[in-house]
Amino acid sequence: MKLYDIGYNHGTDKADHGYLSVYEKHMEKYKDSENLNILELGVLGGCSMLMWREYFPKARIMGADIQSEGNNIRGELVETSFFAKDSNCRFYLCDQSDKDQLTRMCESIVKETGRGIDIFIDDASHFQPDMMLTLGVIFPYMEEGGVFVIEDICTEENLLAGHRWWGSDQNPTIDSCVEKTMIRYLDTGTMTSPYLSEEMLMYLNGNITSCDFYKALVPPISGTSSLVVLTK
């Protein structure tokens, strides 16, 4: 069964946004892998966890969110019961705006599983500083050939129109937004961001092997947010 059909059956909004055909293109190579670590940041109702389990039956499915058995930063209920029912699953409590929490989570994954992350999906706060910090911290923990996805990237147009997804940034500029950063990387081959340290930027520039940018409302993306897939 195609990933879209599985996702649609489980009710994930990734199907509505047009993301799943992109995901399958980049992730199908892992479908039958046994020693596979998949981590999604931003669990919400758990629909995508069920999708990943069905599509990757042999994988280790891990999810993280800012609050367990309560509400996330947007006031939405976070459902974690899925993780108690599947012995090959793990839930991590993590605030993606906190570098130390992100680091501890990744260190725990390496310690517990003996390897890094093969597939990572950022579907958490969607705030500009948070998404970039998450990239800077987690990318070094990706396995070689690993797929790193940033979902729901607010477009430059919507940010300029006053969209609220700037997050905690006190002095936002359009040049610092995630979409602009990724387009600039595609144009120049160099990652630059005020949200990342020189060390983080150096690592990204030396280890990103491909960057695929999918603009909002341009097929196959049907939603109003853009999508980026980075490969290590």
Side-chain angles (χ1 to χ4, degrees), residues 43-46 68-69 78-86 89 91:
V43 172
L44 197 55
S68 176
E69 299 300 338
V78 176
E79 172 57 59
T80 60
S81 61
F82 165 79
F83 299 94
K85 300 174 184 176
D86 191 319
C89 291
F91 176 79

Side-chain angles (χ1 to χ4, degrees), residues 109-207:
I109 290 170
V110 172
K111 182 178 180 180
E112 292 167 11
T113 70
R115 62 185 286 107
I117 302 161
D118 298 285
I119 296 173
F120 174 80
I121 305 98
D122 180 355
D123 188 18
S125 76
H126 309 318
F127 293 156
Q128 311 301 299
D130 294 356
M131 288 190 286
M132 291 308 300
L133 178 64
T134 299
L135 173 62
V137 173
I138 290 184
F139 203 78
Y141 291 94
M142 300 293 294
E143 289 289 318
E144 184 176 351
V147 176
F148 188 105
V149 180
I150 307 175
E151 272 193 15
D152 297 332
I153 299 172
C154 193
T155 63
E156 297 176 50
E157 295 88 347
N158 283 339
L159 289 169
L160 287 169
H163 200 284
R164 66 183 180 89
W165 284 2
W166 277 112
S168 60
D169 189 2
Q170 300 300 309
N171 297 294
T173 65
I174 198 64
D175 281 342
S176 68
C177 77
V178 177
E179 181 168 279
K180 188 77 169 182
T181 298
M182 296 303 162
I183 292 173
R184 186 167 57 243
Y185 177 76
L186 287 171
D187 289 341
T188 66
T190 301
M191 186 72 70
T192 59
S193 173
Y195 303 125
L196 299 182
S197 67
E198 287 300 319
E199 182 181 2
M200 289 176 176
L201 291 170
M202 185 178 298
Y203 187 89
L204 292 172
N205 284 316
N207 290 276

